[in-house]
Amino acid sequence: MADTAIRPPAAKPTKSTRRASDRIFLGLSAGSASLIMVILAGVAIFLIIKGIPAMTANWAANPDLSSIQNPAHRPWGSFWEYVGPLLWGSIWSALIAMVLGAPVAIGIALFISHYAPRRIAGFLGYIVDLLAAVPSIVFGLWGIIVIRPFLLPLSDFLNHYFGWIPLFSGPVSSTGSTMLAGGVVLAVMILPIVTSITREIFLQTPRLHEEAALALGATRWEMIRLSVFPYARSGMVSATLLGLGRALGETMAIALIISPSVLYSLLVLTDGYNSQTIAANIALNFPVASDIQRSALIGTGLMLFVVSLAVNVLARYIITATGPGKKRRRRKEGKSA
């Protein structure tokens, strides 16, 4: 019997080497996180510096400001009077998109994660994610050519039978350049982000929870309602809020589709009485604006930046406050106590 050679154990990386690699990785991670904060702070500082001249100016005494997109009834008295309707238009169009798109996105995510066969689920997930790569201008053109004429019969129906509701009152647009058409296009545009996040949250539901519900005699829908939805509630809310942030900043699709005015309006079927959005307003008027008018437009961009940041902070707070990680932290705190 041949003697087997005893081989020395493989050399392990030295402690100093591991520490050096850890320090490099930590430095890169911290630098990337810091760079994001620096960029965010830089954008905020730029918007504040450029927007302050118009925000603090006397609009009544400045013809360039008082006449910027001047409404028919009277000139603007201040920056806040001007930005109010624009901010309302951005929020209103985004809310319409969320009402139309969020339930569809959650339904698609649920079908992909729990109902569709594996091959079909992978294909559908790929198609939905591919929507995120479509440029906004393409969605805008699709809205003009397809969605506007498609919604005209629906607009007539809603106005005829539900015109007593303020949303559907007023003269119906003959061109389809309505807030409803813009909201439908925005709803399609937010599908990828809401669907992808919600799908991943659904797939992270503990398998034992689902199997326990099925073992107790629950149907698949009852299992989803009792096991999946409670676990994924915070994730669905945060995904919806992130989609809201996406809809708030949309520019070209809204600029191409709706026929806007700078006013407060709840009408979704009219032409010319749609509230303008901040992003579309900047895109349409920035090239032809004077210096002080550009300052006013940048100031409106600052307001949109604040609202979008607040929406994302709210989504992050919901995740940390009501997600599964919160329960684990509470259990750890109870054990330590």
Side-chain angles (χ1 to χ4, degrees):
M1 184 175 180
D3 296 336
T4 56
I6 300 177
R7 297 180 181 179
K12 296 181 179 180
T14 62
K15 194 173 183 179
S16 60
T17 303
R18 290 200 303 268
R19 287 181 176 177
S21 60
D22 289 343
R23 286 196 297 268
I24 293 174
F25 181 76
L26 178 61
L28 291 175
S29 302
S32 301
S34 301
L35 181 61
I36 294 175
M37 298 303 297
V38 169
I39 294 175
L40 191 64
V43 171
I45 292 173
F46 166 79
L47 293 175
I48 292 173
I49 293 176
K50 294 295 184 178
I52 279 293
M55 296 172 66
T56 58
N58 184 358
W59 282 53
N62 193 317
D64 284 344
L65 290 177
S66 61
S67 61
I68 179 175
Q69 298 168 270
N70 188 15
H73 57 287
R74 59 186 176 87
W76 304 113
S78 66
F79 170 79
W80 305 107
E81 186 180 352
Y82 171 67
V83 75
L86 297 174
L87 194 58
W88 163 252
S90 299
I91 297 175
W92 180 231
S93 62
L95 288 177
I96 295 175
M98 297 313 303
V99 171
L100 297 176
V104 176
I106 294 174
I108 294 173
L110 186 62
F111 178 76
I112 293 175
S113 61
H114 285 82
Y115 285 95
R118 181 171 300 179
R119 293 183 179 179
I120 298 179
F123 175 74
L124 288 178
Y126 173 77
I127 293 299
V128 172
D129 293 339
L130 190 62
L131 287 176
V134 179
S136 299
I137 188 68
V138 175
F139 279 111
L141 295 175
W142 173 67
I144 292 175
I145 299 173
V146 177
I147 296 300
R148 290 199 311 180
F150 177 78
L151 291 178
L152 286 177
L154 177 61
S155 299
D156 293 332
F157 173 83
L158 293 175
N159 181 260
H160 181 73
Y161 291 100
F162 300 98
W164 52 272
I165 301 176
L167 295 179
F168 308 127
S169 61
V172 179
S173 172
S174 60
T175 63
S177 299
T178 64
M179 186 64 75
L180 178 62
V184 170
V185 174
L186 284 183
V188 176
M189 296 180 69
I190 66 172
L191 282 180
I193 183 171
V194 180
T195 301
S196 60
I197 296 176
T198 309
R199 181 185 63 205
E200 295 303 321
I201 294 295
F202 286 159
L203 292 174
Q204 291 177 9
T205 304
R207 187 67 179 173
L208 291 177
H209 293 184
E210 299 180 2
E211 293 177 351
L214 294 174
L216 292 174
T219 63
R220 178 170 295 188
W221 167 245
E222 290 173 340
M223 177 270 294
I224 292 173
R225 184 169 55 87
L226 298 175
S227 300
V228 178
F229 283 165
Y231 183 86
R233 183 183 297 112
S234 62
M236 290 190 294
V237 174
S238 60
T240 302
L241 290 178
L242 290 176
L244 177 62
R246 169 77 171 88
L248 284 172
E250 182 48 48
T251 305
M252 293 310 301
I254 290 295
L256 290 175
I257 294 173
I258 70 172
S259 177
S261 297
V262 185
L263 47 79
Y264 295 97
S265 176
L266 288 173
L267 304 179
V268 298
L269 304 178
T270 58
D271 190 356
Y273 294 94
N274 304 308
S275 297
Q276 177 66 292
T277 65
I278 290 178
N281 184 65
I282 294 175
L284 293 175
N285 294 282
F286 199 86
V288 297
S290 62
D291 291 339
I292 191 65
Q293 289 176 343
R294 289 184 178 181
S295 178
L297 295 175
I298 293 175
T300 61
L302 176 61
M303 298 299 104
L304 181 61
F305 176 83
V306 172
V307 172
S308 300
L309 184 62
V311 169
N312 285 273
V313 170
L314 178 61
R316 177 56 57 185
Y317 172 77
I318 291 175
I319 294 175
T320 57
T322 62
K326 181 66 175 179
K327 299 179 181 179
R328 289 194 294 267
R329 288 193 295 270
R330 288 177 178 174
R331 286 196 295 265
K332 290 181 180 178
E333 292 174 358
K335 291 180 180 179
S336 60

